[in-house]
Amino acid sequence: MNNRVVITGLGICAPNGTTIDEFSVAIKKGLSGIRHQPDLEALNFSCQIAGKPVLSEERISQYFTPLELRNLNSTGIIYGVIAGLDAWKDAGLTIEDNEDPDWDSGTIFGAGTSGIDKFRWAINKIDALEIKKLGSSVVIQTMASGISAFISGKLGLGNQVSTNSSACATGAESLLLAYERIKTGQAIRMLAGSTSDSGPYIWGGFDAMKVCTFKHNHEPEKGSRPMSATASGFVPGSGAGALVLESLESAMARKAKIYGEVLGGHINSGGQRGLGTMTAPNPTSVQRCIQTALKNAGIEAQEIDVINGHLTATTKDALEIENWKTAMQLPDDDFPYINSLKGMIGHCIAASGSIECVASMLELSEGFIFPNINCEDLSPEITALIDAKYIPQTLIHKPFNILAKASFGFGDINACIIFKKYTHE
């Protein structure tokens, strides 16, 4: 089978917005969700700023039972369930309390870790010889597949229920895996997305690696600076993004709102060979990923109007632009607009790709290109590769047809998705 696949629902739990309306306004206005974090300062982190979704207890209680909330200590599960259930509702789908599961619907919802705070709490209980006080919720909150298990139970999903984990490529990969499931006729609809815990036990390792900025602790909103000459490392972030993917036939049959179409994409690895390492991309594999995504989607490079890049505000930003340019082989005066959401939300690790895919779908469906913030001083390495006009720093209202979204992750792994505006048929 070769089903066409469309996106019919969006959900978000981002540092600069935890509803689609709020998030849409924020990305159009270039509003940052990065704030000073007193706990990171108290722990002597070099980088004392981060992006965290702002959620009230009242909001959280709408998604969990009182019993679940009694011992819930996993921000990743909270973010993911909120984004996932909101996407399901946005798609016009209902939560049925039937005896039988929904055999046609599933989820692939990624995570980097799960319940790190819960895990630490459990370790302390064990070390204190208090094993009987652990309770029954430790396993489901700390197992890697905790997020997909929670979502599946709440929605009654009977198709594939999995959690993927591929570092910073996790979110984009989850969408492509869900896309393949529907395209090949094994599911009618899939909830795809990813989530990332917040807090010092997640971000401490990156701080120790010295890949996070330490120069903007007193001006948090200026800290994340993708493509900037004064970029000094990424700002850690957290949250979740979720998208409902569905066969076009199903979406049309139930007269669903359609945000856009997934034309195809590609996932690969550089194998940590050549210039690739655990933390650095193999340029050849990145270029092959982009080129194969285009081929898989059945389009030519010149058809791409906008690139939503990975672009993390590190020294690798210029290399990423160079890889796009080499892969696409376009003339210097004909390059797509390119933007990075990380200036507003930081690098949300495993959640980055899915949050950025939600932003991409809003751009495509509403016809705008969100601004790149904090790069008023564009890196000369980048402007030597492409003209500054392709890096918009103010909101552009412009209908366009095709967007390429890529995410690249630790372990030398890559994912690239091609989205197309849906012209109602």
Side-chain angles (χ1 to χ4, degrees):
M1 296 186 72
N2 192 21
N3 292 323
R4 288 174 66 183
V5 180
V6 294
I7 292 172
T8 56
L10 301 176
I12 195 72
C13 198
N16 64 346
T18 61
T19 67
I20 289 298
D21 288 346
E22 191 178 78
F23 181 65
S24 180
V25 169
I27 66 174
K28 288 172 184 171
K29 291 185 175 180
L31 300 180
S32 174
I34 296 169
R35 303 286 182 266
H36 177 255
Q37 305 295 326
D39 57 340
L40 302 187
E41 181 177 9
L43 291 165
N44 293 322
F45 273 48
S46 296
C47 178
Q48 299 168 6
I49 59 177
K52 289 172 62 174
V54 179
L55 295 165
S56 66
E57 290 185 12
E58 181 184 6
R59 175 84 187 280
I60 295 169
S61 69
Q62 295 171 15
Y63 298 81
F64 297 91
T65 67
L67 182 61
E68 288 170 337
L69 285 171
R70 190 183 304 167
N71 295 300
L72 188 59
N73 190 18
S74 169
T75 52
I77 286 174
I78 291 170
Y79 301 152
V81 166
I82 289 174
L85 268 58
D86 281 359
W88 198 255
K89 182 180 178 182
D90 184 53
L93 298 166
T94 56
I95 300 174
E96 305 292 344
D97 191 21
N98 297 333
E99 184 67 27
D100 291 328
D102 178 356
W103 304 115
D104 295 322
S105 303
T107 186
I108 298 176
F109 216 97
T113 57
S114 182
I116 197 76
D117 287 319
K118 187 73 172 182
F119 196 60
R120 180 179 181 270
W121 174 86
I123 289 171
N124 287 339
K125 287 292 181 188
I126 292 169
D127 288 346
L129 306 180
E130 296 179 337
I131 184 73
K132 292 180 180 178
K133 293 184 179 180
L134 282 180
S136 59
S137 66
V138 171
V139 172
I140 58 173
Q141 287 189 51
T142 59
M143 66 184 187
S145 57
I147 179 57
S148 58
F150 259 91
I151 287 172
S152 173
K154 290 182 177 297
L155 299 179
L157 304 178
N159 207 280
Q160 180 179 357
V161 172
S162 300
T163 294
N164 65 308
S165 188
S166 296
C168 314
T170 298
E173 182 186 76
S174 71
L175 261 79
L176 284 170
L177 295 173
Y179 160 77
E180 289 291 342
R181 187 84 181 164
I182 299 167
K183 181 184 177 184
T184 56
Q186 298 180 77
I188 290 177
R189 67 194 64 83
M190 295 290 292
L191 177 63
S194 61
T195 188
S196 183
D197 280 319
S198 61
Y201 305 113
I202 294 293
W203 300 328
F206 297 108
D207 201 75
M209 288 175 69
K210 302 189 187 307
V211 294
C212 298
T213 183
F214 60 89
K215 295 183 177 180
H216 300 88
N217 289 335
H218 300 295
E219 45 182 7
E221 295 181 0
K222 295 182 180 179
S224 184
R225 308 183 65 80
M227 297 183 283
S228 163
T230 49
S232 55
F234 74 75
V235 174
S238 57
L243 303 92
V244 174
L245 281 69
E246 186 169 359
S247 72
L248 176 60
E249 182 182 12
S250 169
M252 290 180 70
R254 64 184 191 87
K255 297 180 172 59
K257 169 179 57 183
I258 296 176
Y259 285 98
E261 184 171 2
V262 184
L263 290 185
H266 189 59
I267 302 165
N268 77 354
S269 168
Q272 299 174 47
R273 298 293 188 269
L275 296 176
T277 68
M278 181 65 76
T279 57
N282 178 336
T284 303
S285 71
V286 171
Q287 293 161 25
R288 284 176 64 94
C289 185
I290 295 165
Q291 290 167 344
T292 309
L294 294 174
K295 183 178 179 181
N296 181 268
I299 65 165
E300 301 295 330
Q302 61 266 26
E303 295 181 72
I304 293 178
D305 301 299
V306 177
I307 295 168
N308 187 312
H310 188 59
L311 298 166
T312 57
T314 64
T315 56
K316 300 299 181 185
D317 284 4
L319 176 60
E320 181 179 336
I321 301 287
E322 184 178 358
N323 284 330
W324 281 106
K325 189 175 178 183
T326 302
M328 296 171 71
Q329 290 291 296
L330 294 174
D332 288 350
D333 61 349
D334 184 23
F335 199 79
Y337 288 105
I338 187 163
N339 56 14
S340 171
L341 191 67
K342 292 182 178 71
M344 301 183 216
I345 64 171
H347 189 349
C348 295
I349 322 296
S352 60
S354 58
I355 292 174
E356 291 159 19
C357 281
V358 171
S360 297
M361 290 315 304
L362 290 171
E363 287 184 286
L364 193 59
S365 63
E366 296 182 24
F368 71 90
I369 302 166
F370 66 74
N372 292 285
I373 69 168
N374 297 332
C375 62
E376 60 279 356
D377 57 337
L378 283 167
S379 164
E381 286 184 82
I382 290 175
T383 53
L385 293 165
I386 60 171
D387 194 295
K389 68 182 179 183
Y390 299 120
I391 307 171
Q393 298 189 42
T394 56
L395 174 67
I396 296 174
H397 286 285
K398 179 181 181 179
F400 63 94
N401 197 42
I402 292 181
L403 182 148
K405 168 68 200 137
S407 295
F408 311 116
F410 274 19
D412 197 8
I413 47 181
N414 315 299
C416 181
I417 311 171
I418 308 298
F419 296 121
K420 183 178 186 293
K421 185 177 182 66
Y422 180 72
T423 49
H424 291 265
E425 300 165 7

